[in-house]
Amino acid sequence: MAQAAAVAKQPAPPRWRRGSATPRRLPYLLIAPAGLLMLGFIAYPVISVFYYSLQNYNPTKPWRNGFAGFDNFAHAFTADPQFWDTLTFSAKWVVVEVGLQLLLGLALALIVNQTFVGRAAGRALVFSPWAVSGVLTSAIWVLLYNSQTGITPYLADAGIGQYGTSWLSDTSTVFPAAVVADLWRGVPFFAILILADLQSVSKDLYEAAEVDGASRLRQFLHITLPHLKDAIVLSTLLRAVWEFNNVDLLYTLTGGGPAGETTTLPLYIANTSVDAHNFGYASALTTVAFVILLFCSIVHLRLSKFGGGDK
Amino acid sequence: MITEDVTVSAPAAPAPAAERPRRRPGAKRRAWDEVPRWHIYLPLGVYLLFTLIPFYWILLFALRPAGSTSLVPWPMTFEHFDKVWTERSFGTYFQNSVLIAVATLVMTTVVALAGGYALARFDFRSKRGFMLALLCSQFVPGALLLVPLFQIFARLRMINSLGSVVIAETVFQLPLSMILISGFIRNVPYSLEEAAWVDGCGRFTSFRIVVLPLLRPGLIAVGSFAFVHAWNHFLFALMFLSDQGKQTIPVGLNTLMSADSVDLGALAAGGIIAAIPVVVVFAFIQKWLITGFSAGAVKG
């Protein structure tokens, strides 16, 4: 909008010409460092992953290396039950995590957006886990879930769970336990993004709605929610991609166990490539993951008609 | 959009916009003010418990003597910190982590500032393509590129050098940072820069004098993101740095966790050491964070 018009009427103030960069070359010069870095360390690796996905490539078994066509993909889809298990777990993980984070984050943002005594401190405290790393989150929750040293004996006293079980090593409790640990850090992220957007809702709208006698529920449904739509769309997408890709937490919290119960696709890929050295197969799995992410993101943005009209 | 005027002024005024109209005399704020406070305090209190108990737990284990089962860390001891810092070489890890995080912060901010300016202020060929690439790169899982990245760094003879981690972290921070910064720059009226040119400033001078000060909240938000991410991220350091003396704090924590007999006191103390810089950064930037976000990211 505004900048298009501004760019059009650039009658090149003479001062520019003193520098070596003429205005026509300037944008490219400015973008070059970022472009080169991304070309070298994202684009090239991505392409090489695509390339290796069609190869048998295992440095520990060099005699079998070479062009494999779509064998890797065929193996994944037809002969590798673990691939399907990890894929289902990834889907379950992302849907549950992002769904709960969205609901709780929205609620939290609505609460701390109101004025109350101690708001600044309250905000700082409830948002603080957001800054904590995946590994640290794991460390904390490993302590908490430990059957001897954790909080589980106290919860058992209160009738939640039973004595002596470590929640992370039991197949029946590991999923909720991991979800809660990740929620602890994930909810603040949503709350911050949503809160940021809540601040820009014009107060006049609520005042007008009040004059018209709209209930608070109706105000929420007809003013707040529509306003938050773009923020919600963007943050769910970012978070879903992040939850899918992130391996820090589960790698250190459960290591994918017990019995592969919490292995996401990226974790499986990391294990396949780093531990089993099967780079070809890992690359094929990576390609599948990338395509899935891209596809889901496009569908997500289309369905939500994100940024329609703007730009 | 309705909010246009609010967001434009946001980067210049760090105080949250909501703060202002609150005490307007005679304004009808009744529906919001009459809400019984427990509507706020009760759920917030419950959530606070959920947030703080884990923090308390780790503090408890870090501060109470080994073998104690008390729920209050008294008598307090710092033996775990001492042990982790010297015996488990968290001192070295800390240094490495600081180096990596600061270098990532500087590189990300500078490169993203240049790129963001180009994206915000110029129309150039392949801009669309570049924006698309930025978006797509968000779907590239960093963990999945470990192998090719490892090969690249091996070829550059950068394995086992902190530089490899700095580059990898920077690259994965860049797309979002650039999108954010270009959003911030768009919010600074172009006419301000033009006015500076008329007064005889060059493009760089006018940028430095006019635009940069207005970008401060946004830059602080972006920079601290980069810092916190680089500080926290685990996989790149784990993969690219094999030398004990080159490791970072998260890798050290992971080593403590996967040891045969987990020393819980040491783990807790290490966790607190890991959290301190982030907490400091976070406390410092908190008020800018929300403004920074509302000015840039969410408006896309």
Side-chain angles (χ1 to χ4, degrees):
Chain A
M1 3 153 266
Q3 92 257 27
V7 169
K9 56 157 185 172
Q10 266 177 23
R15 297 264 167 178
W16 294 4
R17 302 198 179 251
R18 287 196 314 196
S20 59
T22 63
R24 228 146 54 87
R25 246 186 277 152
L26 186 59
Y28 295 104
L29 273 179
L30 288 173
I31 210 103
L36 287 178
L37 276 174
M38 287 175 56
L39 216 58
F41 296 96
I42 296 185
Y44 172 75
V46 167
I47 291 167
S48 74
V49 160
F50 292 159
Y51 169 76
Y52 282 127
S53 70
L54 302 175
Q55 306 275 326
N56 280 322
Y57 182 56
N58 186 337
T60 58
K61 294 176 189 151
W63 61 92
R64 286 175 54 187
N65 291 355
F67 186 70
F70 289 94
D71 285 359
N72 286 326
F73 293 96
H75 178 74
F77 283 107
T78 57
D80 186 2
Q82 227 188 325
F83 165 73
W84 290 106
D85 287 349
T86 57
L87 199 60
T88 344
F89 177 72
S90 291
K92 192 167 119 186
W93 175 254
V94 170
V95 169
V96 170
E97 269 301 330
V98 176
L100 286 176
Q101 284 177 22
L102 175 60
L103 283 180
L104 292 173
L106 182 61
L108 189 60
L110 288 171
I111 290 170
V112 297
N113 190 40
Q114 302 182 42
T115 50
F116 57 91
V117 181
R119 180 170 78 165
R123 275 187 185 175
L125 286 177
V126 292
F127 289 163
S128 52
W130 166 77
V132 167
S133 72
V135 182
L136 181 52
T137 306
S138 309
I140 292 176
W141 289 88
V142 161
L143 273 177
L144 276 173
Y145 287 144
N146 187 299
S147 58
Q148 258 104 58
T149 59
I151 204 167
T152 48
Y154 300 93
L155 287 176
D157 278 341
I160 305 167
Q162 38 188 176
Y163 292 94
T165 52
S166 202
W167 288 14
L168 291 173
S169 48
D170 191 328
T171 46
S172 63
T173 47
V174 67
F175 181 70
V179 164
V180 168
D182 197 35
L183 278 182
W184 182 73
R185 191 179 48 140
V187 169
F189 169 86
F190 257 110
I192 290 174
L193 278 183
I194 292 172
L195 180 63
D197 215 38
L198 272 179
Q199 313 244 296
S200 65
V201 189
S202 166
K203 295 285 175 291
D204 298 344
L205 288 176
Y206 292 109
E207 281 167 23
E210 262 162 49
V211 172
D212 291 345
S215 70
R216 284 174 51 100
L217 181 66
R218 284 181 64 101
Q219 291 180 23
F220 175 72
L221 288 179
H222 294 285
I223 301 173
T224 315
L225 264 192
H227 181 87
L228 289 179
K229 202 190 117 203
D230 274 2
I232 288 176
V233 169
L234 195 68
S235 47
T236 46
L237 179 62
L238 283 175
R239 202 63 200 176
V241 172
W242 160 263
E243 288 294 350
F244 181 85
N245 283 337
N246 181 35
V247 295
D248 279 21
L249 181 96
L250 284 175
Y251 181 93
T252 49
L253 189 67
T254 66
E261 196 74 10
T262 56
T263 307
T264 57
L265 183 55
L267 205 48
Y268 181 47
I269 292 168
N271 289 338
T272 311
S273 63
V274 177
D275 298 340
H277 299 290
N278 198 343
F279 293 159
Y281 189 50
S283 298
L285 294 178
T286 305
T287 311
V288 173
F290 183 68
V291 169
I292 292 173
L293 277 185
L294 204 59
F295 177 76
C296 292
S297 307
I298 292 169
V299 169
H300 181 83
L301 290 178
R302 273 283 144 78
L303 282 182
S304 56
K305 299 195 178 62
F306 177 67
D310 196 35
K311 179 173 178 172
Chain B
M1 224 188 260
I2 328 155
T3 57
E4 201 72 319
D5 50 342
V6 180
T7 42
V8 164
S9 65
E19 232 68 299
R20 251 178 301 120
R22 211 167 70 216
R23 295 266 168 257
R24 225 179 330 154
K28 285 195 180 175
R29 310 279 327 131
R30 301 207 352 237
W32 292 94
D33 281 345
E34 273 177 11
V35 179
R37 297 286 98 170
W38 58 264
H39 265 285
I40 295 170
Y41 289 120
L42 191 69
L44 194 65
V46 171
Y47 196 83
L48 261 181
L49 273 184
F50 174 57
T51 304
L52 295 182
I53 285 178
F55 280 130
Y56 182 74
W57 216 256
I58 197 168
L59 209 62
L60 183 68
F61 273 82
L63 291 177
R64 74 185 185 188
S68 157
T69 52
S70 142
L71 276 184
V72 189
W74 199 261
M76 211 183 272
T77 168
F78 288 95
E79 57 173 322
H80 301 302
F81 287 96
D82 199 34
K83 192 167 146 202
V84 162
W85 191 262
T86 49
E87 274 175 47
R88 304 295 196 139
S89 48
F90 263 55
T92 322
Y93 299 161
F94 193 89
Q95 231 176 359
N96 295 337
S97 278
V98 168
L99 277 176
I100 288 177
V102 170
T104 305
L105 181 156
V106 172
M107 258 181 84
T108 306
T109 318
V110 171
V111 175
L113 190 60
Y117 186 80
L119 288 180
R121 289 293 196 240
F122 296 98
D123 261 330
F124 52 91
R125 247 188 309 159
S126 65
K127 177 169 156 178
R128 271 285 166 99
F130 191 77
M131 295 289 277
L132 200 68
L134 282 186
L135 197 69
C136 278
S137 67
Q138 291 297 297
F139 308 127
V140 181
L144 313 189
L145 296 184
L146 280 177
V147 174
L149 281 177
F150 190 90
Q151 289 172 333
I152 293 173
F153 288 127
R155 221 170 296 158
L156 295 174
R157 301 199 178 286
M158 284 179 75
I159 291 297
N160 233 346
S161 102
L162 299 185
S164 62
V165 181
V166 171
I167 290 180
E169 301 292 356
T170 302
V171 164
F172 279 88
Q173 279 303 300
L174 265 183
L176 190 63
S177 307
M178 221 168 344
I179 293 171
L180 281 170
I181 288 185
S182 82
F184 298 138
I185 295 179
R186 259 184 221 122
N187 281 339
V188 178
Y190 201 47
S191 52
L192 285 182
E193 273 178 86
E194 289 176 319
W197 302 339
V198 172
D199 291 343
C201 292
R203 197 173 254 275
F204 290 105
T205 326
S206 67
F207 177 78
R208 192 167 52 81
I209 297 177
V210 178
V211 185
L212 209 51
L214 293 177
L215 287 183
R216 200 161 48 190
L219 286 183
I220 289 174
V222 167
S224 48
F225 269 10
F227 181 90
V228 168
H229 267 274
W231 181 270
N232 283 340
H233 198 239
F234 155 72
L235 219 51
F236 291 150
L238 181 72
M239 293 300 160
F240 302 150
L241 307 171
S242 50
D243 205 348
Q244 257 276 302
K246 294 277 173 60
Q247 288 299 359
T248 61
I249 292 254
V251 181
L253 267 186
N254 184 52
T255 321
L256 285 182
M257 275 165 73
S258 45
D260 287 335
S261 60
V262 183
D263 180 349
L264 295 171
L267 179 62
I272 287 171
I273 293 173
I276 286 172
V278 174
V279 169
V280 170
V281 169
F282 190 69
F284 177 66
I285 59 155
Q286 228 246 333
K287 66 174 181 180
W288 279 302
L289 199 63
I290 291 165
T291 350
F293 257 131
S294 56
V298 183
K299 296 275 110 63

